[in-house]
Amino acid sequence: MLLKRLRLALATGLIGLAVSIGGGVTAQAVDAPSPRVRALLERMTLDEKIGQLNQIPGGRQRALNSRLDAAALERVRRGEIGSFLHVAGAAQIRELQRIAVEESRLGIPLLFGMDVVHGYRTLFPVPLALAASWDPGLMEQTARVAAVEATAAGLNWTFSPMVDIARDPRWGRVVEGPGEDPYLGSILATAQVRGYQGTSLADPGSILATAKHFVGYGAAEGGRDYDSADISDRTLHEVYLPPFYAAASAGAGSMMTAFNDIGGVPLTAHPALVRGLLREQWGYQGLIVSDWNAIPELLNHGVAATPQEAGALALRGGVDMDMAGNLYSAHLKGAVEADPTLLPLLDQAVIAVLTAKERLGLFAAPYARADPAREAAAMLTPEHRALAREAARRSIVLLKNEGDLLPLATTARRIAIIGALAEDANSSLGSWRAQGKVEDVRPLIPALREALPQATFTYAQGYRPEAAPTIAVTAAGEGAQGVREVSDAEALAEAVATANAADLVLLVVGEHFDRSGEARSYTDIGLSAAQDALAAAVLDTGKPVVVILMNGRPLAIPELARRAPAILETWFLGVESGPAIADILTGRASPGGRLPTGFPRASGAAPLTYAHLPTGRPASEDLARDTARYRDQPITPLFAFGHGLSYGRFDYSDLRLSQTEVAPDGRVEISVTVRNTSSVAADEVVQLYVRDPVAAIARPVQELRGFRRVAFAPGEAKRIRFILTPAQVALWSEDGWRITSGEIQVMVGASSADIRARTAFTVTSDGVSAIPAAAIPTSSSEEPVS
Ligand code: NOJ
């Protein structure tokens, strides 16, 4: 019956957002405020209420606290500010908090927010790199250290994790997220929220996490940051929303709405998705903040004619706090006076802000986080550095290793290091570096000298990096505010001579850190012309070449991939970048990272995903047939989702199911034996994919539904078990998640393109589920076998 309704809806095109847009929005966001919050609300004037919804910058991202002038402090005294961002430092924050608590009429403490994204002082690998570790435990630990350091500096709110799924590497913010897959994204979102918020938000070492950007921000058309997204309801619910659901379930204290619109409705004013889906259907109780200046930008979207209208729209849409727009503060009073039906919505927003402050323990202990003594002791401790090294090591992905060129033979005596990124410690920090410092970075060249004392090293830049003077340059190889890469005959000749005089070359290429990140969208995601020329010249020497990639997004590098015998993807790895890369190059550790996003063969092949639909004419290698493919490229990605090689060798066998028939509310155990047949200790990431081969609507050819990173001793074998439920293969419909009867194919392997064993089970009847399928975690376990 339900399936029939679904089919009917599909046939008549009736599938739409489950909650209607427009009038009739009711105030119910934060249920049952605490007695303290209720009592405060009763005492607040309209101005004080609006003040709580106002977040202003106390500085700039790279000049923290620079806007904390007398006027700003006066606004705190008058109760006109609920939160600052871009401030830091225990002493400064303590003083700001003191003014709010002791000198404002109601003494309401402030929220202090910052983009603490991959560490505060101890910078870890960028988020995309951490995602490549496929290690939720590690991500929880790195988030915890970030929280410990940031809170010691007085912060109580981080705008992280970014959980946007991104399938278009032209979009520069790919670097900040979990990659292309909603299941991996959901698991990692949960881990990060846990790490930031700890077991209790009131703990002074815990920080309020923000899942952002709700929602569809990664689907920007053409990969252009901030641009519109045009997403089907199905894709929205099955791909983009699950990580937000996971973050909400893990208790994320806040969410940030996205800059973009979906089908013409900006998320800054989207009652159906924010009030309807997030608040009402999911029951989300946290604080919802706009993105930077996004409320005034509703005028640019063309959905509001006046600032007052924009304020009313955002409030109706469910945005509690205005980040840096100064619009609620200047215009919400007029809006509320003109339309008193906004008043209950305003109260709901204030309740959300006050409740967040209460959950953080700010009323009880407003100064607990701003402790100069703790601040002095907490930063970049040896333990934090050790974790940074471990995280960096576990994030590295070995993309290619022809003839086992890696690990480096101890006999390699003369090693040439070529490429300016090799000494660019600044790039190792990535974007969103909070209080990270270039001098904290342990770069590659000294780390290699230390790791291989018997070898001699020579270095050549190969091209000239120069500061780019202007913003918005367009040629590939020029970062927006970063570095222009200039081919230089002398530098190239020096590189070739250096390579010729060596036994082995480490060629370090990729992109300057400032080429990926916010507003760093590019049409060309290959190497710059200067680096391309360098790579070709070095490969032409005929010396064995190990390419070390440093970059924040998948790169289209087909020539390099074809010609270089070994390629190591090292992203931007943070303060322990050099030693971690040396650990992998020398074989002190085997690479265990796997790609959280596929690499296209050409910029024009984006967007792409392994989890595509089959189509009526599935892509075929046979060009004589007309199929869903580009004619000038092979049908496969350059490197597939989940890909990553190891110094170990793994054999998969004996894939078994606990049963072949499963009721919709049942579960099935999927187990497989994995043996490390090599003589080195190594990690394998065992990946579980599913496919529903025949359904009412076409289903993806593969979807990740489980993984486990497993450490193996030489020769060791382990039985890996996954528990899967039919709800995890449910498909979204207007009426909820549908479990449909029939066959489910199961694939287990080392990547989406390296499936080692297949089986199938049958779901015996239709059923329903309440949770986005990709947000349901698959439990897994491992046990040694002889
Ligand atoms: C804009 C970005 O989109 C968002 O991710 C960030 O948190 C804010 N700026 C604050 O810096």
Side-chain angles (χ1 to χ4, degrees), residues 86 115 159 173 212-213 256 259 291-292 323 432 518:
H86 298 337
D115 294 279
F159 308 125
R173 299 199 78 172
K212 68 186 189 186
H213 307 82
M256 187 186 296
F259 282 123
D291 204 338
W292 180 281
M323 178 193 281
W432 294 127
E518 187 175 348

Side-chain angles (χ1 to χ4, degrees), residues 135 258 290 433 441 502 561 589 655 733 764:
D135 187 342
S290 79
R433 42 188 61 190
V441 175
L655 177 62
S733 82
T764 51

Side-chain angles (χ1 to χ4, degrees), residues 701-723:
V701 294
Q702 279 176 301
E703 289 180 280
L704 183 73
R705 281 297 181 269
F707 64 89
R708 190 174 176 89
R709 182 166 174 157
V710 186
F712 288 89
E716 191 182 22
K718 287 181 176 173
R719 190 97 187 132
I720 314 299
R721 292 175 208 279
F722 297 102
I723 306 285

Side-chain angles (χ1 to χ4, degrees), residues 744-769:
I744 297 296
Q745 297 172 349
V746 173
M747 294 155 259
V748 174
S751 93
S752 62
D754 185 8
I755 298 302
R756 305 288 185 87
R758 294 168 193 268
T759 182
F761 63 87
T762 301
V763 178
T764 51
S765 57
D766 293 351
V768 291
S769 164

